[in-house]
Amino acid sequence: MHAEVTAVSSMPSDEFFLARQPILGRDQHLVAFELLFRAAGEHEDARLTDGTAATAAVISHASQLGLEQVVGEQLAFINVDADVLMSDFVRFLPPHKVILEILETVKPTEPLLARVAKLKELGFTFALDDVIDHTEEVDKLLGLVDVVKIDLKGVERNALPQLAASLRAANKKLLAEKVETVEEFNLCMELGFEYFQGYYFARPVILSGRKITPSELMILRLLELLHAEADDAAIETAVKRDALSSLNLLRLVNSRAASSGRRIETVSEAIAKLGRKQLRRWLQILLYATAGSPVELHSPLLQLATTRGKLLELMSLHVHRDNAVCAERAFTVGIMSLADALFSMPMDEILENVELADDVCAALLHREGTFGAMLDVVERLEKADTGPVFSAALKRLGLTAKQVREIELEAFDWVRELACEAA
């Protein structure tokens, strides 16, 4: 029996989750996503995590999980073990879109090395996963890979400079994974790492005495006007006080993701045509614009925030049976959940500057209520933490693995279109 048939038959095709973790370059822009395939909770005893079965299931359903939809313009890092490398189904992956990440469990036998060399001839690029030491086995694979991933949690801090130097001496690009703090990122920058994976960019670094800037405050005040149901004239006047925000707003509302059809030329037209719901949404996105510059929709923090917003909105439509009001509040929870990282301020201080519904505040501050439960699920999914706690939370929300994956694909696609069309 072929390897791919064995792998796919060992797990129902709908019983897995997709986690997508950003990989950044030295300029802090997105360059790739690592795709992690995790078995649903009830299949955990089969240990079907990043191995053959999960990879085979995904590849065999490539038409459903089109890589362009999942990663957009970026590359996809995909874990492969020896069985996947030696199988035929790996050839179904597009070489120009993927980097095959050879797991640390792979033994560099002669047949395997020959297979990797053959796949390189076919245009595939390889990375070596979870390197914690420059061993003889690592050396055997080193000549066939372009990127080496170093697990920061597996390497002693004082041993990291020597390890990085020895691998860079072999002309390999280094990717630091599990980078969780700005200090770790800065160290890896100094050591010459090219790529960074981890959520250091989404961790709030609280700056004592940090104040909300006038531009940020203007957008928060606009959100308050919308919450207070102020008239259109008051809202239009407030928007026009900040020329850059007006320009950014018009760029965003004319993106394909806004689905407004005809081009909108003025702020008053934007307010009239979009309606309060969409205006509130684009203002929340505008919060992520650096003061004095256009909003960068390829910013990893903004991409993560907008992805969370759309995920929570779509989840809410399932959980609250198409209740549009709840869905909009869920979007607010998702996109505002990274405001503390954005503003470098505690979340409670930020919320003092904007009027939000009690259940939205409870979700943002304490992960309480249904919105808080959905946000917790999304945060766990980002980290590929799909164990028993995650599965139990999904069950309480009444969501299945298949529904979550479909929601993810729709959210990824929406954010991709937003980034492409408003660029």
Side-chain angles (χ1 to χ4, degrees):
M1 184 180 287
H2 289 300
E4 65 268 33
V5 176
T6 304
V8 174
S9 65
S10 64
M11 180 171 66
S13 62
D14 285 332
E15 296 303 320
F16 66 92
F17 298 105
L18 167 65
R20 188 183 78 160
Q21 296 186 347
I23 295 171
L24 280 57
R26 289 180 67 88
D27 62 0
Q28 296 304 281
H29 288 167
L30 282 166
V31 294
F33 289 98
E34 179 170 8
L35 302 184
L36 298 166
F37 310 117
R38 294 289 191 256
E42 57 267 35
H43 298 283
E44 285 181 338
D45 56 345
R47 300 179 62 78
L48 301 172
T49 53
D50 327 306
T52 311
T55 306
V58 170
I59 295 171
S60 67
H61 292 80
S63 59
Q64 175 194 352
L65 284 168
L67 282 178
E68 293 286 348
Q69 187 180 2
V70 178
V71 300
E73 298 174 1
Q74 278 73 42
L75 294 170
F77 277 67
I78 296 179
N79 290 334
V80 290
D81 61 10
D83 288 339
V84 173
L85 285 167
M86 300 304 289
S87 72
D88 293 330
F89 64 79
V90 71
R91 295 279 305 278
F92 288 105
L93 288 167
H96 69 286
K97 285 295 291 181
V98 302
I99 293 180
L100 299 178
E101 197 173 314
I102 302 172
L103 290 170
E104 67 277 13
T105 53
V106 172
K107 300 298 180 187
T109 62
E110 288 303 321
L112 185 126
L113 293 172
R115 175 62 169 167
V116 173
K118 177 64 176 174
L119 290 171
K120 276 185 72 71
E121 288 176 11
L122 294 171
F124 285 96
T125 303
F126 289 88
L128 202 52
D129 189 32
D130 275 352
V131 172
I132 57 173
D133 198 6
H134 195 154
T135 63
E136 186 179 335
E137 288 200 337
V138 166
D139 257 340
K140 288 180 180 178
L141 284 161
L142 212 51
L144 295 168
V145 304
D146 294 287
V147 179
V148 177
K149 294 184 72 172
I150 294 179
D151 179 355
L152 293 192
K153 298 295 180 279
V155 181
E156 292 290 336
R157 191 54 49 89
N158 57 6
L160 187 61
Q162 184 179 347
L163 176 61
S166 71
L167 293 168
R168 288 186 68 214
N171 292 319
K172 301 303 163 188
K173 291 182 178 178
L174 302 185
L175 190 161
E177 60 178 330
K178 298 178 185 169
V179 187
E180 297 302 326
T181 68
V182 173
E183 289 76 20
E184 288 174 340
F185 164 72
N186 288 333
L187 172 63
C188 291
M189 280 284 284
E190 291 173 12
L191 294 177
F193 281 76
E194 296 275 350
Y195 308 115
F196 309 87
Q197 181 177 351
Y199 288 99
Y200 65 94
F201 66 89
R203 293 277 181 272
V205 179
I206 305 304
L207 301 178
S208 179
R210 159 78 157 94
K211 301 294 184 186
I212 294 178
T213 67
S215 182
E216 294 163 347
L217 200 58
M218 188 278 296
I219 295 173
L220 291 173
R221 291 288 175 261
L222 270 169
L223 290 170
E224 277 196 329
L225 286 173
L226 288 169
H227 182 78
E229 299 185 353
D231 61 36
D232 286 355
I235 292 169
E236 183 181 346
T237 300
V239 173
K240 287 179 174 177
R241 282 182 185 147
D242 189 293
L244 181 65
S245 292
S246 299
L247 179 62
N248 275 334
L249 180 63
L250 289 172
R251 288 175 65 237
L252 285 171
V253 301
N254 281 306
S255 69
R256 189 194 307 165
S259 302
S260 57
R262 186 176 62 79
R263 184 167 183 80
I264 293 170
E265 302 290 349
T266 66
V267 171
S268 59
E269 196 180 358
I271 294 170
K273 295 289 184 185
L274 281 179
R276 300 299 179 93
K277 171 187 166 182
Q278 285 286 46
L279 181 60
R280 182 183 295 110
R281 177 162 302 192
W282 304 127
L283 286 170
Q284 289 165 347
I285 290 171
L286 278 180
L287 279 173
Y288 288 80
T290 304
S293 63
V295 60
E296 287 190 30
L297 284 153
H298 286 288
S299 147
L301 191 65
L302 176 53
Q303 285 234 347
L304 189 61
T306 49
T307 301
R308 283 187 182 184
K310 195 65 178 178
L311 283 169
L312 262 71
E313 176 194 14
L314 296 171
M315 288 170 72
S316 180
L317 289 172
H318 279 275
V319 173
H320 294 116
R321 303 186 183 279
D322 294 326
N323 184 315
V325 174
C326 285
E328 188 58 27
R329 297 214 314 253
F331 184 91
T332 296
V333 170
I335 200 162
M336 292 294 289
S337 64
L338 291 164
D340 50 357
L342 171 68
F343 292 141
S344 300
M345 290 174 65
M347 184 66 78
D348 58 349
E349 290 184 22
I350 296 167
L351 296 183
E352 287 173 5
N353 288 276
V354 60
E355 188 75 27
L356 294 173
D358 289 344
D359 54 357
V360 171
C361 291
L364 290 170
L365 289 171
H366 309 297
R367 302 301 186 263
E368 290 177 352
T370 304
F371 294 143
M374 288 190 285
L375 179 56
D376 181 63
V377 161
V378 167
E379 288 172 326
R380 288 178 184 277
L381 194 55
E382 289 167 358
K383 297 179 177 65
D385 177 11
T386 56
V389 175
F390 176 87
S391 298
L394 271 193
K395 195 166 289 185
R396 284 195 297 273
L397 290 168
L399 293 169
T400 66
K402 181 181 180 182
Q403 285 173 327
V404 169
R405 206 168 56 252
E406 288 171 348
I407 284 168
E408 282 187 290
L409 292 176
E410 189 175 342
F412 294 159
D413 205 37
W414 185 83
V415 174
R416 179 182 62 81
E417 284 196 350
L418 180 65
C420 290
E421 294 301 316

